[in-house]
Amino acid sequence: MQPAMARRAQIIQAAAHLFAEGGFGETNLRQIAARAGMAMGTLHYYFPSKEVLVESVINKALHSLGVRLRKISGSAASTRSRLRKVVAAVYESFDTDWDLYSAVLLHGEQIRLSQPTDFPSMTSAL
């Protein structure tokens, strides 16, 4: 991973953990910078605001689930089989990805509003 990408990932991970622990409103950029082990200026270089950062946390959390749902939606399996796979993928994602779980719990409305237009919905996966 390139240094800039590694820094972004480090910040996103620190933010996700702090948002999960204390909530979005209670977490500030200084706390995130400290958790990521970097200066505030470095954090601001990658994320100019907390809102941009939380959007990145949400997008990261949803990315792996989106990849799985796209694969399911493109399969030639029966509707029933795809439905089972969609439900299993969602539950498995929440069971194994605590960043996704906390992002959905804390920021569900923002997630709905910020999803890319090509993010597969449950009905499109069927």
Side-chain angles (χ1 to χ4, degrees):
M1 185 181 297
Q2 296 176 348
M5 290 176 63
R7 281 276 168 112
R8 283 182 61 82
Q10 184 179 0
I11 295 167
I12 289 170
Q13 183 176 17
H17 289 347
L18 288 171
F19 292 154
E21 289 171 6
F24 176 72
E26 301 303 316
T27 302
N28 63 49
L29 292 177
R30 287 194 191 290
Q31 292 168 313
I32 295 167
R35 178 84 172 242
M38 63 186 61
M40 280 290 293
T42 304
L43 187 142
H44 276 290
Y45 175 79
Y46 292 100
F47 299 98
S49 70
K50 191 163 85 168
E51 289 72 23
V52 171
L53 179 53
V54 78
E55 187 174 320
S56 295
V57 169
I58 291 167
N59 288 337
K60 179 203 171 276
L62 289 175
H63 178 76
S64 62
L65 178 58
V67 168
R68 291 181 75 184
L69 292 178
R70 280 187 187 90
K71 185 176 179 181
I72 293 167
S73 70
S75 76
S78 70
T79 301
R80 173 177 264 168
S81 175
R82 285 184 292 178
L83 178 59
R84 284 186 180 143
K85 289 178 183 179
V86 164
V87 171
V90 170
Y91 278 104
E92 287 169 14
S93 293
F94 285 114
D95 284 346
T96 59
D97 188 342
W98 287 100
D99 290 341
L100 173 64
Y101 181 74
S102 61
V104 169
L105 286 178
L106 295 171
H107 309 290
E109 186 63 18
Q110 278 182 291
I111 290 170
R112 188 182 66 75
L113 296 174
S114 69
Q115 284 179 356
T117 55
D118 67 337
F119 189 85
S121 67
M122 295 298 181
T123 54
S124 71
L126 301 177

